[in-house]
Amino acid sequence: GQNIDQPTEMTATEGAIVQINCTYQTSGFNGLFWYQQHAGEAPTFLSYNVLDGLEEKGRFSSFLSRSKGYSYLLLKELQMKDSASYLCAVRDSNYQLIWGAGTKLIIKP
Amino acid sequence: EPEVTQTPSHQVTQMGQEVILRCVPISNHLYFYWYRQILGQKVEFLVSFYNNEISEKSEIFDDQFSVERPDGSNFTLKIRSTKLEDSAMYFCASSSPWDEQFFGPGTRLTVL
């Protein structure tokens, strides 16, 4: 079966750095996406990795290792507005997005 | 900036009734999707649509559900004979072939 695992909840301090991990087992791989979702709102796109390595986008970076079935999202200089759920999703061989359950990130002052 | 729009934002219906959720995807996108998210749970794929036909559907997308692109702009999800467990947020998304999916704001469906 297809499976995406990420921690259920993480807590971090404003101004700090946090790393959210995602491991996946899917039938085929055509890219990995990270989305941010605030409560009651739609997911919004953060990053996309299809090749191994690190993609940096301002305060957010995402890393992929296809051989390990592993990705992480790194958030730097945390702000209170970063409190949200972070969703890892993998596009499989049918180009269907398989979603993780999301990691709820709580930022404390 | 182009965006996906959905109507209504909130739909309340009685069990057994039919509902139609509407979406206007981004105009130059070719792939359209419907997702469901039950409160506090993960996003679940329902169906993808390309070239005027369903390209993929999940186990959730049974005979109760149907999708249609009635004209060049709208993309609809019809749920027949709604059940209590259909209460959820329904998100429409669209994309071009290789890019990320852009989500609409969602329709909150409440079945009483």
Side-chain angles (χ1 to χ4, degrees):
Chain A
Q2 310 207 85
N3 198 45
I4 296 184
D5 287 315
Q6 36 179 149
T8 303
E9 188 174 295
M10 299 182 70
T11 302
T13 305
E14 190 177 15
I17 299 173
V18 71
Q19 177 174 311
I20 302 173
N21 296 324
C22 170
T23 56
Y24 63 89
Q25 292 173 306
T26 56
S27 53
F29 179 85
N30 282 295
L32 185 144
F33 297 81
W34 284 96
Y35 280 80
Q36 180 191 61
Q37 186 178 30
H38 286 99
E41 297 182 10
T44 55
F45 170 75
L46 289 178
S47 69
Y48 170 64
N49 295 71
V50 66
L51 299 176
D52 291 351
L54 189 68
E55 293 283 340
E56 296 189 78
K57 224 183 204 186
R59 293 190 299 116
F60 294 1
S61 304
S62 56
F63 172 83
L64 174 68
S65 168
R66 288 171 296 169
S67 62
K68 295 181 180 176
Y70 167 71
S71 172
Y72 67 73
L73 180 69
L74 192 71
L75 292 77
K76 303 175 188 174
E77 301 169 18
L78 286 170
Q79 302 173 9
M80 298 303 292
K81 67 179 183 179
D82 297 330
S83 291
S85 288
Y86 291 85
L87 313 180
C88 174
V90 173
R91 188 159 59 190
D92 70 6
S93 55
N94 292 321
Y95 289 86
Q96 178 179 324
L97 272 187
I98 310 300
W99 294 82
T103 298
K104 182 178 180 181
L105 178 63
I106 299 168
I107 309 296
K108 294 186 174 178
Chain B
E1 187 173 324
E3 58 182 16
V4 178
T5 59
Q6 290 185 244
T7 53
S9 56
H10 192 184
Q11 174 90 48
V12 181
T13 190
Q14 295 290 325
M15 193 168 56
Q17 296 297 305
E18 175 181 286
V19 294
I20 297 177
L21 311 183
R22 303 181 192 280
C23 168
V24 179
I26 293 174
S27 61
N28 62 346
H29 284 177
L30 301 178
Y31 292 81
F32 315 119
Y33 311 85
W34 282 102
Y35 293 91
R36 179 179 82 176
Q37 188 174 32
I38 296 169
L39 186 63
Q41 298 187 23
K42 67 194 287 185
V43 174
E44 299 175 290
F45 168 77
L46 292 178
V47 66
S48 59
F49 193 85
Y50 169 72
N51 202 26
N52 285 321
E53 60 182 27
I54 291 173
S55 48
E56 294 289 335
K57 59 181 181 178
S58 71
E59 294 174 351
I60 303 169
F61 194 89
D62 58 20
D63 292 343
Q64 186 194 6
F65 295 88
S66 62
V67 290
E68 198 174 50
R69 188 154 164 83
D71 54 43
S73 59
N74 289 283
F75 179 51
T76 62
L77 175 69
K78 182 188 291 185
I79 309 175
R80 288 180 280 274
S81 189
T82 49
K83 300 175 282 201
L84 294 176
E85 53 265 38
D86 294 327
S87 294
M89 280 289 279
Y90 287 81
F91 293 109
C92 172
S94 70
S95 71
S96 48
W98 295 97
D99 294 339
E100 70 273 20
Q101 295 179 19
F102 291 83
F103 283 74
T107 293
R108 180 172 298 284
L109 177 64
T110 303
V111 182
L112 303 176

